[in-house]
Amino acid sequence: MREYLNKHPSFSSLKWFNFFVYGTVVLFTSFFPLYLQDVGMNKLEIGSLMSVGALVSIIANPFWGIWSDRYQNMRRIVLVMLTGTLVLSQLVFQAHTYEMIYVSILFFYFFQGPLFAQSNTMILSYIDGTNHKFGSFRLWGSLGWALTAILAGPVIEWAGVSILSYLFAALLCAAMLSLVALPRLDHSIGVAPLPFKGFQKIFYNPFFLCFIFFGILVSIPNTMNNTFVSLYITELGGSKTMIGLAVFLSSILEVGVLLLCNRFLKRKVSVLLGWLALVSVLFVLRWWLMAGATTPLQVAFIQILHCITFGGFFYVGTQLTMLLVPRPYRSSGQALYTLTWSGISGILGGVLGGWLYQTLGAQSMYQSGVFLSFIGTLGFGLMWLFVSRGDYLNPAEQEEELAGHE
């Protein structure tokens, strides 16, 4: 089987699959708020609706993870998720009442929300034991995200936001065809995304909980921006093409940032905490610039900072989780870190951002982002100071010391 996969050109299909999946998601995250505004929703209603995805993911991620482990057929599971996403997305676009939109979006997120996690597990399963590296497939995803955004902008500008449903369906069908072209895979390297067994032990680790708390403060404004930046650009007089450019600039350098982090950052708690504090400072700068922006082009170019802030924060946070949590509970630690970044922060960011935007305006929303990110930066700075001056020994270093004495 392994020799077959090495020789078979199915890896091209796997790359195109990632390209189309990421392209589909960027259409939804970047342009769907415009559709909701077009059908009459205000900022608070849009923020609340978009935050439903974070709430649903708390249930959907473990559900699909358990079924993937049980059936050991990742390709079929992902195909079911894509089919459900396609059907329910069309129900969302065809809904004529707010109630129908909310019900449809609830079930839509149940299929779409965990798509990245399950797709990544499927890719890792296909390349397991081969010479292929995950980074090359992730690169195709980033290309799909950036190129779809910049190409879709002019199309939506020309045809109207209603064409979004057709673009969404076309990319989903392309992803499904790429998936069908893959050979059957009878094994999976994945585990259920939320192994609750280790959560109790993690809650006895106050240092890790502080890291999670300050991370939530920093990531809430990021959710606000992801949800409302397209509306902000439109409010400043920008076109759909300008929105596509902003998304393109926010993602085109992300892979480069991840590769640099992977090569040069030392896996040491003090070093990673220092970098996390620095990235958080850049978040403060980013939201301060956004609050003072007066033209759509300024907003678009400010999004370049997303490559550094989001790419750096997520990479460093993932590595820190590995070091701050003992080895037997690392899977639970990663699950909790992902849950807080995409779940809790997603819910708070959508609702709080929508309320602030609706009642006080976009500038006030971004100014609140400056405040939250600043508090998070101070917290990470104090944690770095504690590690640098104290005798804190992280679980990974303790394990290495024990192994050295054996």
Side-chain angles (χ1 to χ4, degrees):
M1 177 66 176
R2 214 34 94 216
E3 291 179 1
Y4 169 77
L5 283 174
N6 273 317
K7 295 177 181 178
H8 198 271
S10 61
F11 286 113
S12 297
S13 297
L14 205 55
K15 290 175 180 177
W16 280 112
F17 164 77
N18 227 26
F19 181 94
F20 291 125
V21 165
Y22 275 76
T24 300
V25 175
V26 75
L27 276 181
F28 191 80
T29 57
S30 301
F31 295 102
F32 187 60
L34 297 176
Y35 172 82
L36 295 176
Q37 187 178 58
D38 193 58
V39 299
M41 284 193 171
N42 62 38
K43 308 298 190 304
L44 179 56
E45 289 170 336
I46 292 172
S48 301
L49 186 68
M50 298 297 282
S51 70
V52 167
L55 183 63
V56 174
S57 68
I58 298 173
I59 301 171
N61 272 295
F63 173 86
W64 290 109
I66 290 169
W67 280 101
S68 298
D69 288 346
R70 177 173 296 183
Y71 280 98
Q72 292 293 303
N73 190 337
M74 288 296 299
R75 189 183 66 145
R76 180 174 296 178
I77 292 294
V78 173
L79 191 59
V80 170
M81 294 173 71
L82 287 172
T83 304
T85 301
L86 174 61
V87 172
L88 288 159
S89 67
Q90 298 310 303
L91 288 178
V92 171
F93 286 116
Q94 298 301 321
H96 298 294
T97 65
Y98 288 173
E99 291 77 11
M100 281 301 299
I101 291 178
Y102 273 97
V103 172
S104 301
I105 206 76
L106 193 70
F107 288 100
F108 166 83
Y109 276 126
F110 185 78
F111 287 91
Q112 186 271 331
L115 197 55
F116 276 160
Q118 294 302 313
S119 296
N120 289 342
T121 302
M122 183 186 71
I123 293 170
L124 289 168
S125 299
Y126 268 105
I127 66 176
D128 183 35
T130 72
N131 295 325
H132 293 269
K133 294 184 178 179
F134 179 76
S136 63
F137 296 91
R138 178 64 176 82
L139 174 62
W140 277 75
S142 295
L143 287 174
W145 184 281
L147 293 178
T148 300
I150 200 166
L151 292 175
V155 174
I156 296 173
E157 185 74 33
W158 168 72
V161 75
S162 60
I163 200 175
L164 191 59
S165 64
Y166 299 103
L167 296 176
F168 198 76
L171 285 177
L172 273 175
C173 289
M176 293 167 71
L177 288 174
S178 301
L179 193 60
V180 170
L182 293 170
R184 176 183 168 87
L185 189 67
D186 296 320
H187 73 284
S188 169
I189 64 168
V191 295
L194 286 180
F196 295 99
K197 186 177 180 181
F199 276 18
Q200 185 176 0
K201 291 287 184 180
I202 291 174
F203 284 119
Y204 286 106
N205 186 341
F207 196 81
F208 180 69
L209 292 181
C210 286
F211 158 70
I212 290 292
F213 174 72
F214 295 130
I216 291 175
L217 293 181
V218 173
S219 57
I220 286 174
N222 191 67
T223 301
M224 292 180 185
N225 180 72
N226 290 343
T227 305
F228 296 106
V229 66
S230 58
L231 301 181
Y232 188 35
I233 291 174
T234 303
E235 193 173 273
L236 291 174
S239 63
K240 311 296 188 301
T241 302
M242 187 63 68
I243 294 170
L245 175 64
V247 178
F248 176 83
L249 293 173
S250 73
S251 57
I252 193 63
L253 299 177
E254 185 179 309
V255 172
V257 171
L258 293 173
L259 292 175
L260 288 173
C261 288
N262 189 52
R263 181 168 183 178
F264 294 109
L265 280 186
K266 294 181 181 179
R267 292 183 72 254
K268 189 176 180 182
V269 171
S270 58
V271 173
L272 293 175
L273 275 174
W275 276 103
L276 203 59
L278 181 60
V279 169
S280 299
V281 170
L282 292 178
F283 265 121
V284 174
L285 172 64
R286 183 181 171 192
W287 308 137
W288 178 73
L289 291 173
M290 288 291 285
T294 56
T295 68
L297 192 60
Q298 287 178 344
V299 173
F301 279 107
I302 292 169
Q303 298 312 302
I304 295 175
L305 282 171
H306 179 82
C307 302
I308 305 171
T309 51
F310 176 76
F313 192 94
F314 197 80
Y315 176 88
V316 174
T318 302
Q319 296 299 313
L320 262 174
T321 300
M322 295 289 287
L323 295 178
L324 297 178
V325 177
R327 188 180 299 274
Y329 310 111
R330 283 178 180 171
S331 181
S332 296
Q334 292 292 351
L336 184 59
Y337 174 66
T338 303
L339 175 64
T340 54
W341 174 267
S342 61
I344 296 173
S345 300
I347 297 169
L348 295 176
V351 176
L352 178 62
W355 180 79
L356 287 169
Y357 200 155
Q358 180 67 28
T359 56
L360 302 175
Q363 284 76 19
S364 295
M365 181 186 73
Y366 282 112
Q367 286 167 359
S368 71
V370 171
F371 174 74
L372 291 172
S373 298
F374 180 71
I375 299 300
T377 302
L378 287 179
F380 287 132
L382 290 173
M383 291 179 71
W384 171 81
L385 200 62
F386 175 76
V387 172
S388 299
R389 294 184 177 183
D391 298 322
Y392 176 79
L393 193 63
N394 68 73
E397 290 172 344
Q398 291 176 359
E399 290 169 358
E400 289 173 3
E401 284 197 354
L402 290 174
H405 290 304
E406 289 179 356

